[in-house]
Amino acid sequence: MSANIMDQLLEPQMTKICAPMVRYSKLAFRCLVRKYGCDICFTPMILADSFVQSSKARDSEFSTSNSDRPLIVQFAAKNTEDFVRAAEMISPFSDGVDLNCGCPQRWAMKDGYGADLLTKPQKVKDLIYQCRNQIAKPFTVSVKIRILKDMKKCVELCRQIECAGASFLTVHARTPDMRSEPIDIESLKMIRTNVSIPVIANGNVKNHDEAKVLYEESKCNGIMVANGLLSNPALFSGFLTTPLECIQDWLDITTRLDTQFMCMHHHFIYMLEKVLPKKERLVFNVLNNRQDVLDFLEQKFSIVPRPSNWKIELTTCDYISTKLISPISVVSEPAERGSVLSVVLVAGSGGGGAASSLAWGAPKPRAGSGGSGSFSFALRGAHRMPVHEADLASRVVRVHEVVHDREDGAGRVHAEGDPPEQLLVQSLLEVLKDEQADSEAGQGPGQVRHVRHPERQLLHRVPVVNREAHVRARCNTK
């Protein structure tokens, strides 16, 4: 099967998709549903800011294997820095990213995630536009939404998502305040006829026949299923209830992947809901260790883990170029194009997020950093962008100037030196050290000059080409 998601969605038959499900659509379950006809799988929703900032979060929230394709990673994000950076980090290990604009949980909406974004179309458009421009195709950038009560606004939102460059759109045809009510097929069809990108239909599918009916009625490109697959991972193969072979497969997969007991047991609870009589379900559901579950399955179904030489090989996700730490501040103010503004650099200690401002012309590393601390950029107004770990033993790069030379608000930072193949910002601490030495020698602020931008500027990652590094400085345009 092709890992090109767009090729899959444009084929003339129903594309079968496993929905993003918190705690449930992890690697082991994705391995299972792929055995029973699932074409594309989504990961559970992952908070983009936590993923970017924490290696523990990355290790906990994401794992994959060579056979786990096509795979889309869904992120909850509310600012472009986090979403773009998370997408860049995950892109070598997946086939696309999806922006969650449909989660109706109170905590998510209160914090500005999920369905809260449905009321902020400009932000959604910017999130998709920035991410799409940063990562080349065929890697996909998509959005999953719920519908709005005002369908005129909903259709307009979908059109803006398409104009921003989204690869496809998934529509859960319920409003954020709906739960188990029937989906609104007419609203789904209205969206489908008003956009030209592929649309995936989601909601209220409990078996394969219902999936086919929704596919034919909505004219969508694919059908996404959540709870129906939890209850019956073999749904897309046409089974009405979970077959015993599927139960055996889940036992084998969780044995080979060394899955946590709670995850293994909860999936069994869903899978056996229509297989076991009520009294036996009550017994099984309260089992609290793996051995008791194995004993129950052996006694009831004569199922035991099967010996096999086949092993699921986990992919090693090397985030070496994305090790993140504490802040340096870049202060900018609105101004006319071409006017000059000094920028205060603030060096942070190696581990914490706190930092103290330093006078222009005499920046220096914070005490205790040992001259090799790590840092990130942040904009005034609590906008922080993490930057990569500094490895400064043998590199010195001087920042010459930021030139606001384009009408679209973008600028460039030119540098010279011999950085490795990663990022210019890895060597900025050396600039701070050199600037301090220049200041103490009475040479002024050295080589650092800056230019005001008409809007806030963001410093993104720096690809190195022919020993010249470029930091892309982007402005938020209105």
Side-chain angles (χ1 to χ4, degrees):
M1 179 186 299
S2 171
N4 189 314
I5 291 171
M6 297 306 294
D7 288 348
Q8 186 76 42
L9 288 174
L10 294 174
E11 289 183 2
Q13 69 266 359
M14 178 176 68
T15 302
K16 296 161 284 188
I17 302 158
C18 175
M21 293 176 279
V22 175
R23 296 187 303 276
Y24 291 115
S25 58
K26 294 196 172 185
L27 175 59
F29 187 70
R30 299 196 299 266
C31 290
L32 180 65
V33 296
R34 290 185 194 279
K35 292 193 67 174
Y36 290 90
C38 193
D39 298 318
I40 299 171
C41 288
F42 280 61
T43 69
M45 180 185 76
I46 301 171
L47 292 176
D49 57 353
S50 297
F51 188 86
V52 168
Q53 295 166 14
S54 169
S55 60
K56 289 184 179 180
R58 294 192 288 274
D59 293 340
S60 171
E61 297 297 330
F62 181 76
S63 60
T64 187
S65 69
N66 291 336
S67 60
D68 187 28
R69 309 297 281 268
L71 177 65
I72 297 175
V73 180
Q74 187 185 73
F75 286 110
K78 57 185 177 181
N79 64 68
T80 55
E81 304 100 296
D82 289 335
F83 186 52
V84 172
R85 193 70 198 109
E88 289 176 327
M89 293 169 69
I90 208 68
S91 60
F93 316 111
S94 62
D95 303 289
V97 291
D98 184 77
L99 177 65
N100 185 313
C101 293
C103 179
Q105 295 185 52
R106 291 180 183 177
W107 72 264
M109 296 184 66
K110 181 180 178 181
D111 289 346
Y113 297 112
D116 182 68
L117 291 173
L118 295 175
T119 62
K120 302 170 182 176
Q122 185 59 43
K123 178 176 285 189
V124 174
K125 183 178 179 180
D126 190 48
L127 285 162
I128 298 304
Y129 178 79
Q130 297 288 355
C131 190
R132 178 69 283 170
N133 284 351
Q134 197 72 15
I135 306 178
K137 298 177 181 179
F139 190 84
T140 62
V141 180
S142 58
V143 184
K144 185 173 187 288
I145 69 167
R146 284 191 174 226
I147 61 173
L148 295 168
K149 292 180 180 179
D150 186 338
M151 278 307 298
K152 184 178 179 180
K153 290 183 178 180
C154 189
V155 169
E156 181 59 29
L157 170 65
C158 295
R159 286 173 172 167
Q160 289 191 44
I161 289 171
E162 179 178 18
C163 290
S167 307
F168 63 90
L169 178 67
T170 302
V171 180
H172 185 160
R174 293 186 175 104
T175 61
D177 56 354
M178 294 171 66
R179 293 299 180 264
S180 58
E181 297 91 333
I183 63 172
D184 188 343
I185 296 182
E186 292 305 314
S187 295
L188 181 62
K189 291 164 67 175
M190 185 183 301
I191 293 171
R192 182 67 191 95
T193 58
N194 278 279
V195 297
S196 58
I197 57 176
V199 176
I200 296 169
N202 175 223
N204 209 39
V205 173
K206 300 181 180 68
N207 56 59
H208 191 249
D209 287 343
E210 290 182 354
K212 290 193 293 184
V213 169
L214 181 58
Y215 173 71
E216 292 168 359
E217 287 190 8
S218 67
K219 307 301 181 183
C220 288
N221 302 80
I223 301 298
M224 175 182 285
V225 181
N227 290 335
L229 280 175
L230 284 180
S231 298
N232 178 16
L235 179 150
F236 283 130
S237 292
F239 292 94
L240 293 177
T241 59
T242 307
L244 290 183
E245 182 63 22
C246 185
I247 297 171
Q248 175 74 70
D249 287 334
W250 179 242
L251 181 60
D252 294 341
I253 289 171
T254 53
T255 299
R256 290 163 189 157
L257 276 177
D258 194 24
T259 308
Q260 291 183 351
F261 168 74
M262 186 175 293
C263 176
M264 177 198 77
H265 186 226
H266 281 191
H267 277 288
F268 271 133
I269 290 173
Y270 279 109
M271 293 161 62
L272 296 174
E273 183 177 4
K274 296 181 180 178
V275 177
L276 293 175
K278 184 175 181 179
K279 287 185 178 180
E280 291 181 340
R281 288 205 312 272
L282 293 176
V283 172
F284 182 83
N285 291 357
V286 297
L287 298 179
N288 58 14
N289 65 77
R290 185 180 181 87
Q291 189 56 53
D292 286 348
V293 170
L294 295 178
D295 292 343
F296 184 98
L297 294 175
E298 183 174 9
Q299 293 170 15
K300 179 64 180 178
F301 304 114
S302 299
I303 288 177
V304 296
R306 292 179 293 198
S308 174
N309 293 327
W310 172 67
K311 186 178 180 181
I312 300 173
E313 295 289 344
L314 294 178
T315 299
T316 300
C317 297
D318 184 4
Y319 300 113
I320 189 169
S321 66
T322 53
K323 205 170 181 180
L324 311 171
I325 36 238
S326 64
I328 282 181
S329 292
V330 178
V331 182
S332 63
E333 299 174 358
E336 294 297 325
R337 183 168 180 247
S339 58
V340 177
L341 171 72
S342 63
V343 173
V344 180
L345 297 179
V346 183
S349 61
S356 57
S357 296
L358 302 169
W360 167 249
K364 60 183 179 180
R366 184 177 175 175
S369 68
S372 60
S374 301
F375 45 83
S376 66
F377 280 105
L379 288 176
R380 176 182 291 171
H383 291 276
R384 286 188 177 182
M385 178 181 175
V387 185
H388 306 72
E389 182 180 24
D391 178 10
L392 308 172
S394 61
R395 304 186 278 285
V396 176
V397 175
R398 289 187 178 276
V399 178
H400 284 286
E401 58 185 355
V402 180
V403 181
H404 180 49
D405 58 359
R406 288 170 50 181
E407 291 183 358
D408 63 2
R412 293 176 299 185
V413 173
H414 298 284
E416 64 181 4
D418 191 19
E421 58 192 23
Q422 298 179 18
L423 304 179
L424 168 63
V425 290
Q426 289 182 318
S427 297
L428 279 178
L429 194 57
E430 285 287 353
V431 175
L432 295 179
K433 291 166 66 178
D434 288 350
E435 287 299 317
Q436 171 64 10
D438 289 344
S439 176
E440 292 174 351
Q443 297 178 14
Q447 299 292 327
V448 183
R449 292 197 300 110
H450 301 269
V451 174
R452 285 182 177 176
H453 286 205
E455 300 289 343
R456 290 175 178 171
Q457 63 183 15
L458 303 176
L459 298 183
H460 286 265
R461 72 173 188 170
V462 190
V464 176
V465 181
N466 297 328
R467 298 183 64 182
E468 180 177 68
H470 299 280
V471 179
R472 298 180 62 187
R474 294 185 179 273
C475 296
N476 293 329
T477 56
K478 296 182 180 180

